[in-house]
Amino acid sequence: MSADVAGTGQWTDAPAEPSPDDEPAPRLIIYLEGPEYAQTLRQLTLWTHHILLPVYGREVTSSAPWCPRWWEHPEAVTQLHALWLAWGDLTGPGSGMCGPANWHRDYLGPVMNSLRDPSGPFAGCKPGNHRPKETPPIDLVDPFAPPPPPPPPPPSRV
């Protein structure tokens, strides 16, 4: 949109000022904490249990596992939240006519394949049985930090 920015008679393409009513863009759930995380997880759970799984939740097998406590797997929560955000963007009001097809092609398939991969986040889970994923071990929390100071010398015995 063109605007006379400084009253000079010159029209430029200036970005629109955000309105106080504009909501900030949603953040990925792994960046949220406390009540904001809990509310977002609840909304994600409702979408997952009432839309995603009834429509797209295929049978659980050893080659396509699903955890009945998926919300206890941070990787699954993060991927499902990203899928839900894309759902809202591509299938909600104002989305283009190709939005739903793009969501299916670009988001649904890859995310569900990743989650339900036999070596994915639900690898150790069986129907009715949740098993927390073991995090791979790491030797150093920050391998590029300065080395720790040397330990103090032992007390001398006189």
Side-chain angles (χ1 to χ4, degrees):
M1 175 178 205
S2 295
D4 183 1
V5 182
T8 62
Q10 296 179 349
W11 292 85
T12 60
D13 289 333
E17 290 291 321
S19 145
D21 297 332
D22 289 346
E23 290 187 33
R27 296 185 319 155
L28 193 59
I29 197 166
I30 60 172
Y31 299 117
L32 306 179
E33 296 178 331
E36 188 179 12
Y37 177 87
Q39 179 61 27
T40 301
L41 183 59
R42 181 169 189 276
Q43 292 171 328
L44 174 62
T45 300
L46 292 171
W47 178 79
T48 301
H49 291 182
H50 294 281
I51 295 175
L52 182 70
L53 291 177
V55 177
Y56 304 105
R58 297 180 182 164
E59 185 175 358
V60 175
T61 66
S62 59
S63 62
W66 181 265
C67 183
R69 299 174 66 105
W70 59 266
W71 56 89
E72 293 185 16
H73 295 270
E75 178 184 355
V77 169
T78 304
Q79 286 197 48
L80 287 168
H81 186 248
L83 185 63
W84 177 52
L85 292 174
W87 164 272
D89 191 48
L90 294 170
T91 68
S95 63
M97 291 178 66
C98 293
N102 293 340
W103 181 80
H104 284 88
R105 180 194 66 211
D106 297 337
Y107 301 95
L108 176 66
V111 168
M112 293 303 277
N113 287 339
S114 172
L115 291 176
R116 302 204 59 192
D117 186 278
S119 63
F122 306 140
C125 300
K126 308 270 183 271
N129 186 21
H130 163 73
R131 192 190 90 180
K133 179 178 140 187
E134 292 184 28
T135 304
I138 52 175
D139 289 336
L140 300 170
V141 174
D142 185 356
F144 301 104
S156 61
R157 293 189 169 185
V158 180

